Amino acid sequence: MKIGFVGLGAMGHAMAERLLDAGHELTVHNRTPAKADDLVARGAVFAQTPAQVAAGADVVFSMLFDDATTEFAVFGPEGIAQSLPAGAIHACCSTISLDQAKRLRDGHAKRGQSYASANVLGRPPAAIAGELFVILGGQDETLSRLKSVVTAFGPKIFVAGNDPVQANLAKLSLNFMIMSTIEQMAEVFALNEKAGTLPSTMFEIMTGSFYNAPVHKNYGKLMVEGTYDTPGAPVTLGLKDTEMFLDAGHTYQVPLPYASIARDRFLAAMAAGDSERDFVVLLERVRQDAGLR
Amino acid sequence: MKIGFVGLGAMGHAMAERLLDAGHELTVHNRTPAKADDLVARGAVFAQTPAQVAAGADVVFSMLFDDATTEFAVFGPEGIAQSLPAGAIHACCSTISLDQAKRLRDGHAKRGQSYASANVLGRPPAAIAGELFVILGGQDETLSRLKSVVTAFGPKIFVAGNDPVQANLAKLSLNFMIMSTIEQMAEVFALNEKAGTLPSTMFEIMTGSFYNAPVHKNYGKLMVEGTYDTPGAPVTLGLKDTEMFLDAGHTYQVPLPYASIARDRFLAAMAAGDSERDFVVLLERVRQDAGLR
Amino acid sequence: MKIGFVGLGAMGHAMAERLLDAGHELTVHNRTPAKADDLVARGAVFAQTPAQVAAGADVVFSMLFDDATTEFAVFGPEGIAQSLPAGAIHACCSTISLDQAKRLRDGHAKRGQSYASANVLGRPPAAIAGELFVILGGQDETLSRLKSVVTAFGPKIFVAGNDPVQANLAKLSLNFMIMSTIEQMAEVFALNEKAGTLPSTMFEIMTGSFYNAPVHKNYGKLMVEGTYDTPGAPVTLGLKDTEMFLDAGHTYQVPLPYASIARDRFLAAMAAGDSERDFVVLLERVRQDAGLR
Amino acid sequence: MKIGFVGLGAMGHAMAERLLDAGHELTVHNRTPAKADDLVARGAVFAQTPAQVAAGADVVFSMLFDDATTEFAVFGPEGIAQSLPAGAIHACCSTISLDQAKRLRDGHAKRGQSYASANVLGRPPAAIAGELFVILGGQDETLSRLKSVVTAFGPKIFVAGNDPVQANLAKLSLNFMIMSTIEQMAEVFALNEKAGTLPSTMFEIMTGSFYNAPVHKNYGKLMVEGTYDTPGAPVTLGLKDTEMFLDAGHTYQVPLPYASIARDRFLAAMAAGDSERDFVVLLERVRQDAGLR
């Protein structure tokens, strides 16, 4: 199929590569063109604008940093929506707010264009390995066409619902589960540390028993090792995601006390000068409250 | 070895059975003697008092409901401490408060007796299958003798530290991780439900991706199915465990905001008349706050 | 002096009237012109646009509903900023977000215009009686000219600082103190009610001892009487103000747990169908959590 | 009347003095007898035991530090209950847990003795000046006799209800209002400080407008001045009172999120080494979370 891809950050680049591996005809765009060089060397075409990516494509993926960059790449003067053909699909993979997700859904609908959310779960190494989890939201007909393409990203594909926004909310929810698991483990680590039991011992007990999911292992390991300075995701991003989840709570009128506490921890981390460190650094705020160090 | 076992509830009975299976010579005691009938039929001896269980034993396990029953069975007039031989070990498996754990530790020490915490993780079916996780706390010499016995309960044995209390705190911590995971999943279920995505769909996405630990699968399943009335553990027990964890926070001066919120949910559940339902019913309080039902 | 006033809601109208009483020459504007009729009858001039209000004025007050209406009335095509004379002052009295306050400050500064925040505390009856509290923020020179005018609103004038935004934050803070006092009293009322002591008795004890500020008396009285349906301010407004306070916490990186809990109560109130009731109705959420009714 | 008084700490001594001033015949007891010297010089009789205080009295007051000291002075081997005459009243003024309050109520009832709670609000200087607030709980007949005596403590007497425990809960509730007002003001102070507005300015605005109750003025002043080291009441006492309030929430099944947050602040203050400083020091924990200092 003719596939377009807009946004070649660490995630987007790996996903684009997987599409090439799967044998698709690929056109890409990125603000910094050099990021596309190796893809072009492998046969991809570089387009100067998102609109040019979309022209003639069957499916266009966008994987951008946030609401604003997504809005611009889709509905800006040379955006995807300018040229997305009838019958083609725009599938947005970015983690964005529900308000932005609704703007995408409604903006495409007004233009008679097909749109879906195709949120992905996993960090760049998983993207490279084709082991992302994909959460789709959209009309059945759209998703049925999309599924065969997104299998390139990973073997597990979930459908949240027929409203694209449902996939965005599911994605924000899963990110919230990371943040709240970190707070949960941080409370356990700090308390046991004060009783003389090392975090590494508690980590071994947790992950050796009922708490052995990737969320426990991956983030718990970073916490135990104090790996704060080669951030997979910085505190600022943790805060952004948590606030989007809380905003969803506002939209749907749902109190979310665990999310509020995670938000407070991230604010305290920023106030302590840790904005750019890995967001597992919130452990240090829990330890500080406990008088450790 | 000559093993004693005091307390034959669902957990204790299954553990005692495993000790018989392992070929140990077993003496048991239970307030309601009938619970021991099948064990006696298999060769165990029934003793009239905990003191008689302890007399002549190499290791005595106690697995009782709470602080008060444990205190009585150990230091009461016919308690284990009355007759525990020099060189023998009392290993307490109950989930008790840190204060009670300290009383056991110090009371045995004053009498020159060996004592260890041997907390177990898992529900009765796991106990029957010999698949419990065991968390030990005690002096190295004591634990080295104890380990070969507790392998009867399950293959995974952890050592929290040389203070028995460390094992008790680890156990309370793991229970807290259950409660806080339930609150975490409840917030996700309620929010997505209001956006039109069924809890069962979210459960599938969670457990199909990074949140696939037993804690997610076991409790999430009960929540999704609304299995509230055949309680594995009722709200009252959830509250008791959460308050013991919070008390540990007092002892070690550690703020534990997630635990406080779990406590509030359990109180609200009791106020709503759900004291005796499975503690996953706290989902209903999160749903009520969200205006669902 | 020549005074302009934009926004004649219940508060603005009363404040405009006080300026007439004080002998100022008044030009007013309101989207619904009829609201100005009695003021015009007393000598005020009605202008068709905010820009016309500002032309020739010494001081222009704006008292509008929110960020958007304020932005439009100030920087819109026929806004105050179009024609505010050099040497004149725009004083904004609205309760707005800090971001909006900064836009006003910076937008006027770019145009070389004088700007101040003049937030007021009190409900319409206090405005009519000239008993508002006024919180000013702005340059000393600007405030020194402004003070003689705002005495018309009330005898007590406070200066938060030389940055107008400081007054806006002070105002948001005082509103937060209302919300958090309501939650505080609600917890006391619900708990004592379950112990058999009526809220009215607790109210009498509170306000008869150390808790006798207007914030206790005014809101406590509404709570005790269950006066939810003639809202001074509805839940939606309580939520808006609380979220602006929380946003300020984001801006300055300050965790605000009491504000987060108030936010959750307002969301729960909306989910329960109480959006348009007086925001003291959050008592009912606390009572519901306690199993009352 | 013949009055007995047990417990001559700063509060008790001042209250005993007021009873002398009112012309009552007074017998007193204190663990450290020297504290009674000046009262004896003024005509009071010193008794060697609480039992001797009670013998022959019409009303015996107790004002002791906590549950344990109260229990011992009342039901210990030489306690008040040993000799309290039929028709006499024991009125307990201590701030104690509800469980202890129930033990007093039920223990006296079993002995056919009259009992009331007579909680007082105010610090020692107010006690000396006879300006305490008194909250009574007990049977009408008991209270009608007690009222004429407690007017010696202060002019304002409240009746919480016919169950003595209601007065104890009211007292714990009012103490909670102190703690939660401190947290509330601390959030305001920290946030505005980061925006450049001094706590002293915010204090002036608060107490000059709607937040001018003694609770705001007294504690706000200590916070603004950073008066942490001449404690009226230390962090340990703040924590004790807050936990008794939370325990009441357990008893009556009422979630109390503001109290839980206050508890966490006190624990963090203790972890930071501030156990013996005035409990307004919790401001420093809010400031630390905000990155101040």
Side-chain angles (χ1 to χ4, degrees):
Chain A
M1 265 203 269
K2 292 182 172 172
I3 310 283
F5 208 105
V6 176
L8 299 173
M11 288 298 292
H13 185 280
M15 292 163 72
E17 210 163 1
R18 295 292 305 165
L19 291 165
L20 278 180
D21 290 349
H24 294 293
E25 211 172 304
L26 192 68
T27 304
V28 301
H29 172 78
N30 194 52
R31 227 167 32 172
T32 312
K35 290 272 183 69
D37 288 352
D38 62 330
L39 299 171
V40 171
R42 288 190 53 195
V45 173
F46 187 83
Q48 294 303 320
T49 67
Q52 289 173 25
V53 170
D58 296 313
V59 176
V60 181
F61 292 99
S62 60
M63 183 54 158
L64 295 148
F65 180 63
D66 61 7
D67 283 15
T69 48
T70 300
E71 175 72 17
F72 188 76
V74 180
F75 298 123
E78 305 193 280
I80 292 166
Q82 295 296 327
S83 60
L84 189 70
I89 300 168
H90 170 212
C92 175
C93 307
S94 316
T95 301
I96 51 177
S97 74
L98 298 197
D99 284 346
Q100 183 59 38
K102 285 173 190 166
R103 274 195 294 276
L104 293 175
R105 177 194 66 190
D106 298 343
H108 280 301
K110 221 171 52 188
R111 290 167 173 83
Q113 298 170 330
S114 294
Y115 171 72
S117 291
N119 289 99
V120 294
L121 205 63
R123 292 194 168 194
I128 291 166
E131 292 173 354
L132 296 175
F133 299 100
V134 184
I135 308 171
L136 300 178
Q139 296 299 318
D140 288 339
E141 190 274 334
T142 306
L143 299 191
S144 70
R145 283 187 288 150
L146 194 56
K147 274 180 189 171
S148 65
V149 183
V150 297
T151 50
F153 303 144
K156 275 269 189 69
I157 297 165
F158 304 101
V159 176
N162 289 134
D163 183 342
V165 174
Q166 290 175 273
N168 297 86
L169 181 57
K171 166 68 176 170
L172 292 178
S173 299
L174 297 180
N175 282 8
F176 156 72
M177 288 186 75
I178 295 173
M179 318 304 175
S180 47
T181 300
I182 292 171
E183 167 71 22
Q184 177 196 55
M185 292 191 293
E187 295 187 14
V188 168
F189 287 150
L191 178 57
N192 284 274
E193 184 177 346
K194 288 200 85 172
T197 310
L198 289 178
S200 55
T201 302
M202 288 310 300
F203 177 71
E204 183 200 352
I205 297 176
M206 284 176 189
T207 57
S209 60
F210 292 162
Y211 315 91
N212 59 0
V215 71
H216 300 114
K217 289 182 181 168
N218 297 350
Y219 295 97
K221 186 164 179 287
L222 293 172
M223 293 166 80
V224 166
E225 294 175 348
T227 307
Y228 302 145
D229 291 319
T230 51
V235 166
T236 47
L237 194 64
L239 179 61
K240 193 183 83 165
D241 282 6
T242 303
E243 293 195 332
M244 289 196 293
F245 186 69
L246 284 164
D247 284 346
H250 176 120
T251 299
Y252 294 108
Q253 305 177 340
V254 180
L256 301 165
Y258 270 23
S260 288
I261 287 171
R263 176 183 182 271
D264 279 347
R265 295 288 192 198
F266 285 131
L267 290 175
M270 295 174 75
D274 288 342
S275 297
E276 296 311 318
R277 305 180 89 184
D278 193 290
F279 58 44
V280 297
V281 77
L282 79 70
L283 169 61
E284 293 307 314
R285 300 282 67 73
V286 178
R287 294 180 76 250
Q288 176 180 269
D289 263 7
L292 288 162
R293 257 178 228 174
Chain B
M1 264 203 271
K2 290 182 173 174
I3 310 284
F5 208 105
V6 176
L8 301 173
M11 287 298 293
H13 186 281
M15 292 164 72
E17 211 163 2
R18 295 291 306 164
L19 291 165
L20 278 180
D21 290 348
H24 293 293
E25 211 171 304
L26 192 68
T27 304
V28 301
H29 172 76
N30 194 53
R31 228 168 31 175
T32 312
K35 289 272 182 69
D37 287 353
D38 61 332
L39 299 171
V40 170
R42 289 192 51 196
V45 172
F46 187 84
Q48 295 303 320
T49 67
Q52 290 174 25
V53 169
D58 297 312
V59 177
V60 181
F61 292 98
S62 59
M63 183 55 159
L64 295 148
F65 180 63
D66 62 7
D67 283 14
T69 49
T70 300
E71 176 72 17
F72 188 76
V74 180
F75 298 123
E78 306 192 280
I80 291 165
Q82 294 296 326
S83 59
L84 190 70
I89 301 168
H90 170 211
C92 176
C93 307
S94 316
T95 301
I96 52 176
S97 73
L98 298 197
D99 284 346
Q100 182 59 39
K102 286 172 189 166
R103 273 195 295 275
L104 293 175
R105 178 194 64 189
D106 298 343
H108 280 300
K110 220 170 53 187
R111 290 168 175 83
Q113 298 170 329
S114 294
Y115 171 71
S117 291
N119 288 99
V120 294
L121 204 64
R123 293 195 167 192
I128 290 167
E131 293 174 353
L132 296 176
F133 299 99
V134 183
I135 308 171
L136 299 178
Q139 296 298 317
D140 289 338
E141 190 273 334
T142 305
L143 298 192
S144 70
R145 283 186 289 149
L146 195 55
K147 274 181 191 171
S148 66
V149 183
V150 297
T151 49
F153 303 145
K156 277 266 190 69
I157 296 166
F158 304 100
V159 175
N162 288 134
D163 184 342
V165 174
Q166 290 175 273
N168 296 87
L169 181 57
K171 166 68 175 169
L172 292 179
S173 299
L174 298 180
N175 282 9
F176 157 71
M177 288 186 75
I178 296 173
M179 318 304 175
S180 46
T181 300
I182 292 171
E183 167 71 23
Q184 176 196 55
M185 292 191 293
E187 295 186 12
V188 167
F189 287 151
L191 177 57
N192 284 273
E193 185 177 344
K194 288 199 84 171
T197 310
L198 288 178
S200 55
T201 302
M202 288 310 300
F203 177 70
E204 183 201 351
I205 297 176
M206 284 176 189
T207 56
S209 59
F210 291 162
Y211 315 91
N212 59 1
V215 71
H216 300 114
K217 287 181 181 167
N218 298 350
Y219 296 96
K221 185 164 178 289
L222 293 172
M223 293 166 81
V224 165
E225 293 174 350
T227 306
Y228 302 143
D229 291 318
T230 53
V235 165
T236 48
L237 195 64
L239 178 62
K240 194 184 81 166
D241 282 6
T242 303
E243 293 195 333
M244 288 195 293
F245 186 69
L246 284 164
D247 284 346
H250 177 121
T251 299
Y252 294 107
Q253 305 176 341
V254 181
L256 301 164
Y258 271 22
S260 288
I261 287 171
R263 178 183 182 270
D264 279 347
R265 295 287 192 199
F266 285 131
L267 289 175
M270 294 175 77
D274 288 342
S275 298
E276 295 313 319
R277 306 179 89 184
D278 192 290
F279 59 45
V280 297
V281 77
L282 79 70
L283 169 61
E284 293 307 315
R285 301 279 70 70
V286 178
R287 295 180 76 251
Q288 177 181 269
D289 263 8
L292 288 162
R293 257 178 229 174
Chain C
M1 265 203 268
K2 291 181 171 173
I3 310 285
F5 208 105
V6 176
L8 300 173
M11 288 297 292
H13 186 280
M15 291 163 73
E17 209 162 2
R18 294 292 306 164
L19 291 166
L20 278 179
D21 291 349
H24 294 293
E25 212 171 303
L26 193 69
T27 303
V28 300
H29 171 76
N30 195 53
R31 227 166 35 171
T32 313
K35 289 271 183 71
D37 287 353
D38 61 331
L39 298 171
V40 170
R42 288 191 53 195
V45 172
F46 187 84
Q48 294 303 319
T49 66
Q52 289 173 27
V53 169
D58 297 312
V59 177
V60 182
F61 292 99
S62 59
M63 184 54 159
L64 294 148
F65 180 63
D66 62 7
D67 283 15
T69 49
T70 299
E71 176 71 18
F72 187 77
V74 180
F75 298 123
E78 304 193 281
I80 290 166
Q82 295 296 327
S83 59
L84 190 71
I89 300 167
H90 171 210
C92 175
C93 307
S94 314
T95 301
I96 52 177
S97 73
L98 298 196
D99 284 346
Q100 182 60 38
K102 285 173 190 166
R103 275 196 293 275
L104 293 175
R105 177 193 66 189
D106 298 344
H108 280 301
K110 220 170 54 186
R111 290 166 175 85
Q113 296 169 332
S114 294
Y115 170 72
S117 290
N119 288 100
V120 293
L121 204 64
R123 293 196 166 192
I128 291 166
E131 292 173 354
L132 295 175
F133 298 99
V134 184
I135 308 171
L136 299 178
Q139 297 298 317
D140 288 339
E141 190 273 334
T142 306
L143 297 191
S144 70
R145 283 187 288 150
L146 195 56
K147 274 180 189 172
S148 65
V149 184
V150 296
T151 50
F153 303 144
K156 277 268 190 67
I157 296 166
F158 304 101
V159 176
N162 289 134
D163 183 342
V165 174
Q166 290 174 273
N168 296 87
L169 180 57
K171 167 67 175 169
L172 292 179
S173 299
L174 297 180
N175 282 9
F176 157 70
M177 289 186 74
I178 295 173
M179 318 305 176
S180 47
T181 301
I182 291 171
E183 167 70 23
Q184 177 196 55
M185 292 191 292
E187 294 186 14
V188 168
F189 286 151
L191 178 57
N192 284 275
E193 185 176 346
K194 287 199 85 172
T197 310
L198 289 177
S200 56
T201 302
M202 288 311 299
F203 177 70
E204 184 201 351
I205 296 176
M206 284 176 189
T207 56
S209 60
F210 291 162
Y211 315 91
N212 59 2
V215 71
H216 300 114
K217 288 182 182 169
N218 298 349
Y219 296 96
K221 186 164 178 287
L222 293 172
M223 292 165 83
V224 167
E225 293 174 349
T227 307
Y228 301 145
D229 291 319
T230 51
V235 166
T236 47
L237 195 63
L239 178 62
K240 194 183 81 167
D241 282 7
T242 302
E243 293 195 332
M244 288 195 293
F245 186 69
L246 284 164
D247 285 346
H250 177 120
T251 300
Y252 294 108
Q253 304 176 341
V254 181
L256 301 164
Y258 270 23
S260 288
I261 287 171
R263 176 182 182 271
D264 278 347
R265 294 289 192 198
F266 285 132
L267 290 176
M270 293 174 76
D274 288 341
S275 298
E276 296 312 318
R277 305 180 90 184
D278 192 291
F279 58 44
V280 297
V281 77
L282 78 71
L283 169 61
E284 293 308 314
R285 300 282 66 73
V286 179
R287 295 181 75 250
Q288 177 180 271
D289 263 7
L292 288 162
R293 258 180 225 170
Chain D
M1 266 203 267
K2 291 182 172 173
I3 310 285
F5 207 106
V6 176
L8 300 173
M11 288 297 292
H13 186 280
M15 292 163 73
E17 210 163 2
R18 295 292 306 164
L19 291 164
L20 278 179
D21 291 348
H24 294 293
E25 212 171 304
L26 192 68
T27 303
V28 301
H29 172 76
N30 194 53
R31 229 167 29 174
T32 313
K35 290 272 182 68
D37 287 351
D38 62 329
L39 298 171
V40 170
R42 288 191 54 194
V45 172
F46 186 84
Q48 294 303 320
T49 66
Q52 289 174 26
V53 169
D58 296 314
V59 176
V60 181
F61 292 99
S62 60
M63 183 54 158
L64 295 148
F65 180 63
D66 61 7
D67 283 15
T69 49
T70 299
E71 176 71 17
F72 188 77
V74 180
F75 298 123
E78 304 194 281
I80 291 166
Q82 295 297 326
S83 59
L84 190 70
I89 301 167
H90 171 212
C92 176
C93 307
S94 315
T95 301
I96 51 177
S97 74
L98 299 196
D99 284 345
Q100 183 59 38
K102 285 172 190 166
R103 275 195 293 274
L104 293 175
R105 177 194 66 190
D106 298 343
H108 280 301
K110 221 170 52 186
R111 290 166 174 84
Q113 297 169 331
S114 294
Y115 172 71
S117 291
N119 288 100
V120 293
L121 204 64
R123 294 194 166 193
I128 291 167
E131 292 174 354
L132 295 175
F133 298 100
V134 184
I135 308 172
L136 299 178
Q139 296 299 318
D140 289 339
E141 190 273 333
T142 306
L143 298 191
S144 71
R145 283 187 289 150
L146 194 56
K147 275 181 188 170
S148 65
V149 183
V150 298
T151 50
F153 302 145
K156 277 266 189 71
I157 297 166
F158 304 101
V159 176
N162 289 134
D163 182 343
V165 174
Q166 291 175 273
N168 296 87
L169 180 57
K171 166 69 176 168
L172 292 178
S173 300
L174 297 180
N175 282 9
F176 157 71
M177 289 186 75
I178 296 172
M179 318 305 176
S180 47
T181 300
I182 291 170
E183 167 71 23
Q184 176 196 57
M185 292 191 294
E187 295 187 13
V188 168
F189 287 150
L191 177 57
N192 284 274
E193 185 177 345
K194 287 199 85 172
T197 310
L198 289 177
S200 56
T201 302
M202 288 311 299
F203 177 70
E204 183 200 351
I205 297 176
M206 284 176 189
T207 57
S209 60
F210 291 161
Y211 315 91
N212 59 2
V215 71
H216 300 114
K217 287 181 181 168
N218 298 350
Y219 296 96
K221 186 164 177 289
L222 293 172
M223 294 166 81
V224 166
E225 293 174 348
T227 307
Y228 303 143
D229 291 319
T230 52
V235 165
T236 47
L237 194 64
L239 178 62
K240 193 183 82 166
D241 282 6
T242 302
E243 293 195 332
M244 288 196 293
F245 186 70
L246 284 164
D247 284 346
H250 177 121
T251 300
Y252 294 108
Q253 305 177 341
V254 180
L256 300 165
Y258 270 23
S260 288
I261 287 170
R263 177 182 181 273
D264 279 347
R265 295 288 192 197
F266 285 131
L267 289 175
M270 294 175 76
D274 288 341
S275 298
E276 295 312 318
R277 306 180 89 184
D278 192 291
F279 58 43
V280 297
V281 77
L282 78 70
L283 169 61
E284 293 307 314
R285 300 282 68 72
V286 179
R287 294 181 75 251
Q288 177 180 270
D289 263 8
L292 287 162
R293 257 178 228 174

